[in-house]
Amino acid sequence: MSQATARAHSNIALIKYWGKRAGPRNLPAVGSISVTLDALYTDTTVVFDDTLSADCAQLDDKPADTARLTPFLDLVRTRAGIDTRASIVSANNFPTGAGLASSASGFAALSLAATRAAGLELDARELSILSRQGSGSAARSIFGGFAEMHRGTRDDGSDAFAEPMLEPEDWPVEIVVAITDTATKSVNSSIGMSHLDERSDYYQAWIDHSESDLAAMRDAIAARDFETVGALTEMSCLKLHGLMMSTRPGLIYWNPATVAAMQAVRSLREAGTPVYFTIDAGPQVKALCAPGYGEAVARSLEGVPGVLETRRTALGPAARVIA
Ligand code: DP6
């Protein structure tokens, strides 16, 4: 029996990933840029156990489906040259599957825990490549601070990995998550973004502008230009949701409180607070705040009708082994 426990933090994309290239290995159609969140994380323990006849998993104290986990563990087993089944115990300190990037922190933590338990020592890039095969956004959660995921061009996925851009202390922006619904989302990202070339008339435009959006964001982050980073973040979010709504069948992840929180962010900004919103495949609004503004933004968003709770967070560290 061999085991390891790892912690990985959730991340939120400022320039969004949505769409996959054809073929295996979960290759993204576009690159993305994200921030890793200190206050939202997953702890995962993997035990390779000779007495098990099948993989088993527990998520937040409940039995979990292994359909997406066994093929992922097979990648680790093949690499380690073992055949042993595993038991996975995982816990999120935030609502699972509700657009708070639990698949990002989950697969990043699983990659690190499973490889260590299997006796492998992968470097961060290799871990990012492995995590991507579990969930595209997980490739970014291997790193702390600001990270960029490269789309890559190779079919084997060896150039589709994330890289660190800035450490949390290099630019301590804050994030406030306004939770408007804690239920598991109806259409998960993988399904929502499948076969977009056939399902959305806007998809080619999304792809065509991706490289210039990424380049603009890279420059704005390097210059610590908060207004430009924020404007690009809102633009990428709204473009993503336009693409989602244009998909057959149309995807609408927002509820009335989502829209109210977006409007509240814009009102705060008009009144002089440096804050911009972003939203993923769920109804939660994430407010990107300039350093020092998180508390005031959280207080305002708590007063928005339909906002159930807020979580305020600094930027978080890279994935790491904790036991
Ligand atoms: C809207 O990484 O969950 O959060 O690769 O199919 O697991 P899969 O998708 P996933 O998609 C994330 C989509 C997003 C945007 C982003 O995080 O970049």
Side-chain angles (χ1 to χ4, degrees), residues 56-78:
C56 56
Q58 242 186 51
L59 177 58
D60 294 334
D61 292 327
K62 287 188 262 322
D65 187 10
T66 53
R68 201 169 162 186
L69 301 174
T70 289
F72 185 79
L73 287 169
D74 286 342
L75 298 171
V76 176
R77 282 188 278 257
T78 303

Side-chain angles (χ1 to χ4, degrees), residues 11-20 26-28 30-34 68 99-104 107 131-140 149 185 188-194 206 236 240-241 244 253 279-282 286:
N11 75 73
I12 286 175
L14 307 181
I15 297 292
K16 303 294 188 190
Y17 148 55
W18 197 254
K20 297 172 193 275
N26 200 30
L27 298 170
V30 293
S32 51
I33 291 177
S34 62
R68 201 169 162 186
L100 287 173
S102 55
S103 73
F107 275 102
S131 300
R132 185 205 73 234
Q133 294 173 78
S135 182
S137 52
R140 302 183 307 238
M149 171 75 194
K185 65 195 170 201
N188 80 25
S189 307
S190 304
I191 294 169
M193 70 168 92
S194 64
W206 170 254
S236 180
L240 168 68
H241 285 269
M244 289 163 161
Y253 285 108
I279 304 159
D280 293 300
K286 292 110 180 195

Side-chain angles (χ1 to χ4, degrees), residues 11-64:
N11 75 73
I12 286 175
L14 307 181
I15 297 292
K16 303 294 188 190
Y17 148 55
W18 197 254
K20 297 172 193 275
R21 279 138 68 195
R25 301 189 185 87
N26 200 30
L27 298 170
V30 293
S32 51
I33 291 177
S34 62
V35 286
T36 298
L37 307 181
D38 193 46
L40 278 66
Y41 56 80
T42 304
D43 287 342
T44 299
T45 299
V46 176
V47 184
F48 284 103
D49 180 347
D50 293 317
T51 65
L52 292 173
S53 55
D55 295 322
C56 56
Q58 242 186 51
L59 177 58
D60 294 334
D61 292 327
K62 287 188 262 322

